[in-house]
Amino acid sequence: MRIERINDMERYIIENGSVTSDKLCEVFRISKNTLLRDLNILAEKGTVKKVYGGVTALQQPFSVKELLPFNDRTTTNIDLKSKIARQAALHVQPGDTIFVDTGTSTLSIINYIAQIQGLTVITNSVQFMYRALSFPNINVIALPGILNHNTASLVGVPCINSLGVYNISKAFMACTAASLQSGVTNATSEEYEVKKVVMAQSLEHILLIDHTKFNQTSLMTYSQLKDFDLIITDELPGSDYIEHFKTHKVILEIAE
C-alpha cells in the first residue's frame, strides 16, 4: 500500500538523518520515478528536504513515539486514563450506539457505562470484549478480524467490511500520539485502516488522550485534531492547542 510505504519511508529518513536516493530505492524496492513522487509528498508535508543525490530530514519539533506492547501500556498512567474514561462516560446516553476504540485509554470506559440502558457498543478490542462478559446488560457487537497481539485488537478486511454496515452515534477514539503538525496518529497500519473507517461511519468523534501524548507523533495520521467534536484529557495543553480548538470549534474537557 502506497501510504504505508510513504509513512515507513518518512520514519526511515527521520531515523537516519540523511539518505541517498539509491539507498531508498534499495530499501523500499521502488524505481527512481516512484521515489521522486513519494519524496514530493513528504517534501510538501515539510518533514524532509530533497538534496542532490538524496534527501535529508528536517528538524522535528516533537518526538516519534513507538507503540508499546498492550500489557506494558495497561500499567502506565492508570489513574489518568481512568479519570479520562470516567469523564468520557458522561457523554454516553441511553439508546446510544457507540464505538469503543482499542487502547488502554478507552478500555476503562466500560466501568462507567454498565448501568446505561439500551446501550450498544461496537468494538474490535479483545480486552473490552473480555471485560464485557461481566456486564451482560451491555449489548456488545464484536467485530471480526485478524488478531493483532500488540494492540489486543481484531483488524483486517473482515473488521473493515463489518464496520461499513453500522451507523455509529459516537466514536470514543484513542491514539498513540497527537500534534498540531501531524494530527492524531497511531503506530500500526492495521489499526490505521480501522480507525479511518470508524471516523467516516460515526456522527460524533470523541478523542481520549492523556497529556503525555501531546507534542509527539507516530507512524500514521488517521485524523486531524480539528476533526474531533470533543477532546478529553487530564491537563490543559499548550496555548497553541487551545487556540486551534477554539478556531475549529472543538470542545476541550479536562477530567477532574
Side-chain angles (χ1 to χ4, degrees), residues 38-50 55 58:
D38 291 353
L39 292 180
N40 284 339
I41 291 174
L42 292 178
E44 290 176 4
K45 186 178 178 182
T47 57
V48 307
K49 179 181 179 181
K50 291 187 291 183
V55 64
L58 297 176

Side-chain angles (χ1 to χ4, degrees), residues 148-206:
N148 184 319
H149 290 80
N150 279 340
T151 58
S153 64
L154 296 167
V155 295
V157 173
C159 181
I160 292 169
N161 288 346
S162 294
L163 270 170
V165 305
Y166 296 113
N167 296 314
I168 302 167
S169 54
K170 298 166 186 171
F172 292 86
M173 305 299 293
C175 66
T176 306
S179 71
L180 293 176
Q181 295 88 346
S182 293
V184 184
T185 58
N186 72 289
T188 70
S189 58
E190 299 91 349
E191 286 279 324
Y192 164 86
E193 297 289 350
V194 174
K195 292 177 192 292
K196 290 287 287 186
V197 176
V198 171
M199 293 293 289
Q201 291 293 117
S202 53
L203 295 177
E204 187 174 348
H205 309 121
I206 301 172

Side-chain angles (χ1 to χ4, degrees), residues 84-93 96-103 105-107 109 113 116 119-124 128 168-175 195 198-199 202 204-208 222 228 230 232 253:
I84 292 170
R86 183 171 60 245
Q87 181 70 26
L90 298 177
H91 297 274
V92 182
Q93 303 297 322
D96 274 348
T97 296
I98 69 173
F99 177 83
V100 175
D101 198 7
T102 57
S105 296
T106 49
L107 179 60
I109 198 172
I113 61 175
I116 298 176
L119 177 64
T120 296
V121 178
I122 302 170
T123 188
N124 64 325
F128 189 96
I168 302 167
S169 54
K170 298 166 186 171
F172 292 86
M173 305 299 293
C175 66
K195 292 177 192 292
V198 171
M199 293 293 289
S202 53
E204 187 174 348
H205 309 121
I206 301 172
L207 178 65
L208 281 61
Y222 77 84
F228 285 88
L230 171 65
I232 303 175
E253 289 186 359

Side-chain angles (χ1 to χ4, degrees), residues 13 15 20 31-32 90 92 94 106 110 117 128 130 139 150 152 154 168 170 215 224 237 246:
I13 295 168
E15 289 175 350
T20 66
S31 67
K32 285 285 181 69
L90 298 177
V92 182
T106 49
I110 194 170
Q117 299 298 311
F128 189 96
Y130 175 75
N139 180 35
N150 279 340
L154 296 167
I168 302 167
K170 298 166 186 171
N215 291 323
Q224 297 298 321
K246 287 181 178 178

Side-chain angles (χ1 to χ4, degrees), residues 1-9 189 192-193 196 219-221:
M1 182 178 294
R2 187 186 182 200
I3 189 168
E4 182 176 353
R5 183 184 69 242
I6 292 174
N7 279 284
D8 287 344
M9 185 182 298
S189 58
Y192 164 86
E193 297 289 350
K196 290 287 287 186
L219 180 63
M220 305 184 79
T221 299

